[in-house]
Amino acid sequence: MKKEKYVILSKISNPKDLKKLSVIELKELANEIREVLINKISITGGHFGSNLGVIELTIALHYVFSSPKDKIIYDVAHQTYTHKILTSRKNLFLDESKYKLSSGFTNYLENENDIFTLGHTSTSIALALGLAKSRDLNNETFNVISLIGDGSLSGGIAFEAFSNASEIKSNFIIIINDNEMSIAENHGSIYSIIEKLRNDKQYRDSESNIFTQLGYKYDYLENGNNIEELVSFLTKYKDINSPIVLHIHTKKGYGYELSYLDKETYHYRNPFDIKTGKNLSFQARTFEVINREYFKNKLEENSNICLICAGTPKNFNFTKEERNTYKSRFIDVGISEDLALLYGVGLSKGNTKPIVSISSSFIQRAYDQIAHEIGLNKPNMIVLVDFCGVGKTSSTHQGSFDVSMISNIPNITYLSPSSEEEYISMLDYCLTHEGTFFIRLYGGEVLHNNISVNKDNLMKFEYLKEEENIAIIGTSKMYGFALSLHEKIKKEVGNNSVFVTHQLSTLDYDFLDNLIKKHKVLITIEDEYLDGGFGQKIASYLSSKNIKVLNYGIKKTYIDNIDLNDIYYSNRIDVDLIIEDILKLN
Amino acid sequence: MKKEKYVILSKISNPKDLKKLSVIELKELANEIREVLINKISITGGHFGSNLGVIELTIALHYVFSSPKDKIIYDVAHQTYTHKILTSRKNLFLDESKYKLSSGFTNYLENENDIFTLGHTSTSIALALGLAKSRDLNNETFNVISLIGDGSLSGGIAFEAFSNASEIKSNFIIIINDNEMSIAENHGSIYSIIEKLRNDKQYRDSESNIFTQLGYKYDYLENGNNIEELVSFLTKYKDINSPIVLHIHTKKGYGYELSYLDKETYHYRNPFDIKTGKNLSFQARTFEVINREYFKNKLEENSNICLICAGTPKNFNFTKEERNTYKSRFIDVGISEDLALLYGVGLSKGNTKPIVSISSSFIQRAYDQIAHEIGLNKPNMIVLVDFCGVGKTSSTHQGSFDVSMISNIPNITYLSPSSEEEYISMLDYCLTHEGTFFIRLYGGEVLHNNISVNKDNLMKFEYLKEEENIAIIGTSKMYGFALSLHEKIKKEVGNNSVFVTHQLSTLDYDFLDNLIKKHKVLITIEDEYLDGGFGQKIASYLSSKNIKVLNYGIKKTYIDNIDLNDIYYSNRIDVDLIIEDILKLN
C-alpha cells in the first residue's frame, strides 16, 4: 500500500471532492487511477481494457454531473472501477488486503451511486428508460445517463430500448462509449454505421444519421480520453431536455501500451506481469482448451460443421488467426445469444451441423430459443453450455441456473460429462448421431476417468461401484466428491454404491426400479441449484417408493464473493455432514 | 361443404398447380380463398387480420417462387392459412369436420413447405440466416425468403439478425409485410422510419434509407394486395444474389370491411357473425376481465402505478379509448417482453410501482431479465403472468413452462391464486407491500372461493379440510380438482386433508413437518410441467421423511391439438386413477 504516492487521489472520497479540482488536477488524478488499476488488476485479474479506457470519461461524468442525484447507469458494469474509486470505495483498489472485497460490477447494496446490480449486456438504456419515465411522472428533475459500449449495441434489447426511449420528451442521455471493440472484434452492419459516424462528419450532421432517424439529438467527441474536452462536451448537454446520443470515442486499454497489441486478451486479464504483460496464473486444462484441440481437428477433417459463438470466441479458445483460417465455419454473431441459437437451428435445417458455445450465465438470454424454436424443431445441433456450476465469485455471473433452465425443456438431451474422456466420447457421439444435444461444461480444471458413452449407454445410469444399502450419484464435477463420499461411508457406515448418469434431462426408470431392491437410501449431489434440478426429479420419482432420498445442491440464492468450500459446506455438501444426515434417518 | 363454389381453388392441390393459372385466375383464387377464410374463422376463431391481409402476397409468393426448394419462412406463422391452403391442406379449411385439425401456425411435421414449427415473433430473419449460410457452404442454389410483419420489427432479435445477415453475400430476401399494425398500434421510433419509407420516395431511394445503411438493397411496393403488381415485383428479385429488403404495403383484414373499423379486435377473432361482426362466443369472466375493473379503479384513485404490456394490451382488457385516457400510465412497449420487464425495474427504482402483464408463452422471451436484473435488484414490482397452464391447443403457445422458469429464481415470490377472491386480495397486498411478486393467472373462467391472503398467511400453507392419513394439494386452477378428489377419497378410502398454498416459490417447512405427523401420503396436483415444478420441491423435501408423495402434473412434451381432458387423463390427473395409485402404495 503506497497511498502517499497518490497525491490527488488521497483528497478524493466522493464525487463532491472531485468538483474542487482543476482540470490539470483531474488529469493527474486520471494518471494516478490508471496506475492503481493496472496494479490491482495485475495482481487479482479483472476487466482491463474496458476499465482503462473510461478512466477520463468516468472522472468527467462525476465532475460534470452530480451522482447519486443524477443517475448514471453503466451497461454491463464491467467498466466501473474508476466509478467505485470515486464513490467512497478507493480502499478496495489501494489496499491489497481489501482487493478481494471489490466486486467487478455495480451493486446497489454496496453504494448509493450504484443504481443497479447487473453484469449482463445491452440493458442500460431499457433500465434508464424506466427511471426517466418515473422521474417525469413524479415531476422530479435530474439527469438520466446510460453509458453503453459499442460492443453492447449488438444486443437486441439495446435496439428495442433505443426505439422506445425516443418517446421520452425530456432529459435522457445515452453515451456510446465507442472503443471499436466488443470482447473480440465487432460483427454486423450496425458497426459499419458506427464507423461511418466516427469518420464522416457530413453523415454525422445529416438527417441520415441513424440516431437522428431514431429520434435522438446527436453529438460526437473524437478524443474521449482527453479530460478537458470531455468536461466541456458533457457540460454542454447537462440538463438537456430531450433524448440525446453522445457518441464518445475512447481507446480500450488506454495508457497501457502492451494492451494495444492484443485488445482481446486485455479485455479481461488474469494476473499478469506489468512489465512484460506475461500471464502469471497457471493455465488449467479446461473444457475450452479441449474444445480448441477437438474442433480444430474436426475443421481440418473438413466435416460439415459450423462453430458459432455470441461475442465470446474464447469459449472455443481459438486464436484470432485460427478464427480467420476457418472463418467460413467459425461464426461470431456478436453479443446476441438468441441469434446464435437460431442461426444454429437454421443451419441444422439446411443440413449443416452447428456447434454453438455460450456461457451458462449468458445462455439465460436465449431461453425462448431453447424452449420454443429448438424444443419444437428438434434440430440436429450441439450446444456447449460453458462455465456451469457455482464457483464464479460474482452474483452477476452465476453458473447455477442452467440445469433448471435446460433440463426441463422437451426434446433436448442435456449431457453432463464428468471428465475429459467422457466429454470427448460425447462429442464423437453427437457429431455422428441425430438429436438436439446440450452439453454442460463446468468451469476450471477438467477431471479424468474412464467413463465414456455410446448409443447403448447414453441415456442409462451406470454403477461405478455396485454394493448395497446406500447409493450415491454426483453429477458433473461432483463425480469426484461422490467417490470420496463412497470411501468415507464405506469406512464409517458400511457398503454403498456409486452410480453415474451421462445426462440430466431424463431418468433411467429401469435402473432406479432395480436400485431400490437393494438400497434404502439414495444420495444425489449437484453443484447447481437444487430447485428445478436433477435430484428433485429423482426424489419425485422415488418419493412414493420404499427408499429415502437425500438431495444435495445449492439453495437458490445469489452468491457474491464467497469461497467455494464455504458455499458447499453451507449447503451440507460435505462428507461428514452427509454421513450425519444418513445416520439421522429412521 | 360447398366445394363446388370454389372453381379455381378446386384445381389447386399444391404450388405447382398455381403456376398454370393466369393473373386473372389468381385474382379469382384470392377472392375464393378470402371467402373460405372468413367462413372458417367466423366458425372456429383464429388470426383474422393477418391472414386476410396476405392472401394475395402468399399466392404471389407461391406463384413466383418454387417452394419447398425455395424456402419461405413465415415470422410468427400466424398468417399462413393461405400458405396451408396452397400446399395440400385446403380441406382443413373447406371441410367443416376437419376445421379443428388445422394448427394456426406452420409445423414442419405437417408439411414439407413448412420449414419450421414456430409461433413466436421476430425470429424469421435469424432462422433464414442459418438456412442461407448452410446453402452457401454446401454450394446449393435456392431462394431464402423471410416474411416478417412490421409489428415483429420491434423485437430485438429481428434487429440482431438484420445487422448480421448483411454479411451474407448471396441470395437473402426479407419481405416486410407492412400493414401499419402490431397486434395493437405500433410503438417506437422504428415505426416513424417505416412510415417515412412508405411516404417519402426520396428517402426510400437515398443512401439514408435505414435498410440501405444496414447493408441491404431495398424496394417498395405500395399495393401489396394487387396480385399483378406483386407478381411482377417479386419476379424482379427472384434469384437475386445479395441481401434485399422488399417492403410491401398490405392492408390488415383486406376485403372484410368491418375489420377496418377495429383492426385490433380483428387481429384474432373468436367465432363471430359474418354479417354483423358480432361475437358469437360467451365472454367468460377471465383474469383479464378482472384486471380491467381492478386497475381502472386504481388508476382513477391516482395511485403511483404504471401498467406495462408488450404488444398485448388485451391482457389488461382496456379498450383503445381507455388506454388513451390513462396514457401516461399505460405503457405498451411493442413486442419486446424483455424491455417491458426492464422498464418496470427502472420505474421501480424511481419509486413508481409497475404492473407488467405478459402471457406465459411470451414471458419465456425475458427469462434473463427475471433471473438477472429482477432477481438481483429485488424491485418493488408486480408481474402478471397470463394464460398459464395447459389448455391452449397449440404446441407453440403452451402455458406450461412458467413454474419451472419463474419459481426457481431467487428473490421472487411466485403467487398463484386459485380464485377471483384470492387474486384481488393478492393485488391489494402487493400494491401495499414491498417485494417482487409474479402472479400466475390461468386461462379461461376464474374460479370462486373464500380464500384470501394477508401479511401473516402469504407464505404459509393452509388447511382447507384438516383430517388425516392422506393430504392433497392442488395448485392454481387444480384447486377445484383437489376438492373433488377429497370427496371421492373420503367416500372410497377414508379421511383425508386438503391444503392450499398461495405461492409456488417456497415451501412452508413448518407446515410440512407437522403434516407428516398425521399423514402417510401426500398428493400434489399441478396443471403445468411436473419437471422443475412445485410438487417436485415438496417431494425433495419429504423424500427423506416418513411419508409417501405422489406428484401429478404434465409430462414435459409439446402438446398439439389435444383435448384438455385427454391431457389430464394421460397424465393420470383423474380421481379414479389417483385413487388406484394410492391403493397400490405399500
Side-chain angles (χ1 to χ4, degrees), chain B residues 388-389 402-403 414-419 422 440 442 447 449 461 472-483 498-505 507 522-530 533-536 538 552-553 568 573:
Chain B
C388 290
D402 65 287
V403 178
Y414 196 21
L415 297 169
S416 177
S418 58
S419 67
E422 190 178 7
R440 181 175 204 270
Y442 52 81
L447 304 174
N449 59 32
F461 295 174
I472 303 168
I473 180 169
T475 63
S476 200
K477 77 169 170 187
M478 302 315 278
Y479 156 87
F481 178 85
L483 287 179
V498 181
F499 67 102
V500 293
T501 180
H502 309 292
Q503 48 78 33
L504 305 175
S505 37
L507 300 186
L522 194 162
I523 293 160
T524 71
I525 308 132
E526 297 165 89
D527 73 330
E528 75 281 343
Y529 285 165
L530 194 56
F534 186 69
Q536 292 197 336
I538 292 185
Y552 295 89
Y568 286 158
I573 302 178

Side-chain angles (χ1 to χ4, degrees), chain A residues 19 28 92 172 199 312 361 374 392 436 527 545 581:
Chain A
K19 293 176 194 282
E28 187 46 38
L92 298 177
F172 194 75
N199 300 332
T312 58
S361 177
I374 292 181
K392 288 249 171 191
T436 307
D527 73 331
K545 304 194 163 55
D581 290 345

Side-chain angles (χ1 to χ4, degrees), chain B residues 179-237:
Chain B
N179 61 24
E180 304 180 45
M181 281 288 280
S182 183
I183 296 170
E185 64 279 7
N186 282 315
H187 289 275
S189 52
I190 180 69
Y191 293 105
S192 315
I193 298 177
I194 299 294
E195 190 183 346
K196 196 170 174 192
L197 283 166
R198 272 197 306 273
N199 300 332
D200 183 345
K201 185 175 183 320
Q202 203 181 338
Y203 171 64
R204 285 204 296 267
D205 297 344
S206 74
E207 284 199 357
S208 302
N209 180 319
I210 192 164
F211 296 113
T212 310
Q213 289 196 47
L214 282 166
Y216 292 81
K217 294 187 175 170
Y218 173 93
D219 202 357
Y220 178 73
L221 181 69
E222 171 62 25
N223 299 316
N225 294 97
N226 179 310
I227 286 203
E228 201 161 357
E229 292 186 37
L230 279 164
V231 166
S232 82
F233 186 73
L234 294 175
T235 303
K236 201 153 68 175
Y237 298 109

Side-chain angles (χ1 to χ4, degrees), chain A residues 120-151:
Chain A
H120 282 183
T121 189
S122 312
T123 60
S124 58
I125 305 172
L127 291 164
L129 173 55
L131 272 173
K133 172 82 178 179
S134 180
R135 174 198 62 200
D136 295 349
L137 283 172
N138 298 325
N139 295 314
E140 296 170 308
T141 316
F142 52 78
N143 291 275
V144 173
I145 304 131
S146 58
L147 176 65
I148 183 168
D150 54 321

Side-chain angles (χ1 to χ4, degrees), chain A residues 472-486:
Chain A
I472 304 169
I473 181 169
T475 63
S476 200
K477 77 171 170 187
M478 302 316 276
Y479 156 85
F481 179 85
L483 287 179
S484 313
L485 183 62
H486 165 77

